[in-house]
């Protein structure tokens, strides 16, 4: 559960966030069904971006980023990100739409996805999605997916958490937010997706270091070799820098959003999307032969960060957006 009161950039102390992180990690470690959204809703995690007046936990992007990282660390397979951002989008939607969908989303009985606007979009758990929120120059647009054509996205390789392609060209849509609101929600979606990737990198790195401390070569732990230590430090530096970039963007969002949030979130997304796959691949190389086996879980983290890097735009598109905003 989250604590009462809105989060702001100045209020979220490291101690409070550590408590959120520890409680989330403990809960997820004992969780059985990693596909379920209902148990995450019971923790109030689907309402972290919904105003208290609408029954939510308040605008809490910092806590949401911490939860997203822990979900990535645990290998969660649910549609948490899509449901949480969709609930935030519906918070400012017309009353009849809000009354129909906001309660079911926060309660975990409805599933939603969020995507960059287009005729064909990619969604995690798209086979279960009841509605879609697209974000683009036309604003925030809601599409009900009862009759939408869907197929597994074979270009992305996540077998534990498959992505689906959803065709929206002929679906009925409803505009529920302005282009400015869409820009903010897309930035927030990207920073939460980046936090998920940071969590996947973190659990991979922790498993690797434990393995290298136990595994011996020439009667010495492999982790004691200087060449290995240098490569481990490079992965650790990426993890720390990536988490810092994500949390900076989350605190900017907690302070009120606007252009600074969009810029910080785009920077985080560009950095993490560009480097996370290489970081997990480095962990695979350092794991030796076991890192390439199907039974070892590392390939799931590699597939996860690879998929995340393509879901809401690529690192290249993020850098292009930053260049355009700067007038280059």
């Amino acid at each position: 559960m989250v604590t009462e009161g809105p989060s702001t950039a100045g209020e979220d102390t490291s101690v409070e966030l550590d408590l959120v992180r520890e409680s989330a990690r403990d809960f997820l470690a004992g969780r059985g069904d990693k596909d379920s959204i209902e148990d995450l809703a019971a923790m109030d995690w689907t309402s972290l971006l919904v105003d208290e007046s609408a029954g939510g936990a308040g605008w809490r992007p910092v806590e949401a980023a911490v939860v997203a990282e822990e979900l990535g660390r645990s290998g969660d397979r649910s549609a948490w990100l899509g449901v949480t951002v969709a609930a935030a989008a519906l918070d400012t939607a017309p009353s009849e739409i809000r009354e129909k969908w906001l309660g079911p989303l926060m309660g975990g009985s409805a599933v939603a996805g969020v995507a960059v606007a287009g005729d064909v979009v990619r969604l995690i758990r798209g086979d279960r999605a009841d509605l879609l929120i697209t974000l683009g120059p036309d604003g925030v647009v809601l599409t009900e997916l009862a009759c939408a054509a869907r197929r597994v996205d074979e270009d992305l390789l996540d077998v534990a958490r498959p992505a689906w392609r959803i065709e929206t060209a002929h679906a009925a849509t409803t505009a529920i937010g302005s282009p400015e609101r869409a820009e903010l929600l897309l930035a927030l979606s990207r920073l939460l997706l980046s936090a998920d990737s940071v969590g996947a990198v973190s659990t991979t790195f922790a498993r690797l270091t434990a393995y290298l401390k136990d595994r011996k070569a020439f009667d010495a732990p492999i982790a004691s070799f200087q060449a290995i230590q240098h490569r481990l430090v490079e992965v650790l530096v990426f993890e720390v820098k990536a988490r810092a970039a994500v949390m900076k963007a989350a605190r900017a969002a907690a302070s009120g959003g606007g252009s600074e949030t969009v810029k910080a979130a785009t920077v985080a997304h560009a950095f993490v999307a560009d480097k996370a796959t290489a970081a997990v691949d480095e962990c695979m190389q350092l794991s030796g032969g076991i890192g390439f086996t199907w039974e070892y879980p590392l390939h799931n983290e590699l597939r996860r960060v690879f998929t995340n890097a393509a879901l809401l735009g690529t690192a290249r598109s993020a850098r292009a957006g930053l260049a355009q905003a700067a007038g280059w």
Side-chain angles (χ1 to χ4, degrees):
M1 301 290 286
V2 297
T3 56
E4 294 297 325
S7 167
T8 67
E11 289 177 352
D12 57 274
T13 67
S14 60
V15 173
E16 291 171 339
L17 289 183
D18 285 344
L19 288 174
V20 173
R21 189 182 302 277
E22 290 171 9
S23 64
R25 191 171 300 178
D26 290 344
F27 169 75
L28 293 169
R31 181 178 174 219
D33 183 6
K34 293 185 178 182
D35 292 345
S36 170
I37 195 71
E38 289 89 347
D39 54 352
L40 304 184
M43 296 290 288
D44 291 339
W45 291 354
T46 54
S47 61
L48 286 171
L49 303 175
V50 178
D51 192 77
E52 291 180 5
S53 63
W59 180 249
R60 292 180 171 274
V62 177
E63 289 85 347
V66 172
V67 168
E69 181 179 337
E70 292 307 313
L71 290 169
R73 181 190 303 276
S74 70
D76 174 71
R77 299 189 296 268
S78 75
W80 174 83
L81 189 150
V83 170
T84 302
V85 175
L90 288 167
D91 193 17
T92 57
S95 58
E96 65 275 10
I97 295 176
R98 188 168 63 248
E99 291 170 4
K100 178 180 180 180
W101 287 111
L102 184 55
L105 284 174
M106 291 195 297
S109 60
V111 175
V114 62
V116 179
D119 290 340
V120 179
V121 301
R122 284 168 161 163
L123 293 185
I124 294 297
R125 309 309 314 192
D127 55 328
R128 302 182 181 182
D130 301 300
L131 71 155
L132 165 70
I133 300 295
T134 54
L135 308 169
D138 294 331
V140 184
V141 176
L142 180 147
T143 304
E144 296 190 21
L145 297 177
C147 300
R150 321 171 191 221
R151 66 181 187 277
V152 174
D153 191 334
E154 296 180 354
D155 292 336
L156 299 181
L157 305 176
D158 197 337
V159 293
R161 188 195 56 156
W164 288 68
R165 286 182 178 266
I166 313 292
E167 296 181 15
T168 64
H170 305 294
T173 61
T174 305
I176 62 171
S178 66
E180 293 75 20
R181 179 71 172 169
E183 185 179 41
L184 175 61
L185 289 176
L186 181 56
L188 190 63
S189 301
R190 285 170 170 166
L191 82 85
L192 295 179
L193 194 65
S194 299
D196 184 285
S197 292
V198 173
V201 171
S202 182
T203 195
T204 306
F205 183 72
R207 187 192 306 116
L208 171 65
T209 53
Y211 174 75
L212 293 181
K213 288 177 182 177
D214 291 338
R215 187 74 171 175
K216 291 187 177 182
F218 306 106
D219 292 325
I222 294 176
S224 67
F225 300 148
Q226 189 177 57
I228 299 296
Q229 291 175 350
H230 287 173
R231 293 173 68 175
L232 290 173
V233 167
E234 290 296 325
V235 178
L236 178 60
V237 167
F238 164 74
E239 179 188 336
V240 172
K241 289 170 69 175
R243 183 176 294 111
V246 167
M247 295 308 294
K248 179 179 180 179
R251 289 187 169 94
S255 297
S259 59
E260 286 304 313
T261 297
V262 174
K263 179 180 178 181
T266 305
V267 168
H269 180 244
F271 180 63
V272 175
D274 186 45
K275 303 294 185 182
T277 301
V280 178
D281 181 67
E282 177 73 339
C283 292
M284 179 176 284
Q285 300 296 328
L286 290 171
S287 296
I290 194 173
F292 293 86
T293 63
W294 184 264
E295 293 77 13
Y296 201 60
L298 194 153
H299 71 94
N300 288 320
E301 286 101 25
L302 184 62
R303 295 169 189 273
R304 189 182 191 98
V305 297
F306 178 82
T307 297
N308 285 352
L311 281 178
L312 293 171
T314 63
R316 179 186 293 270
S317 66
R319 289 193 292 265
L322 285 171
Q324 184 178 10
W328 294 359

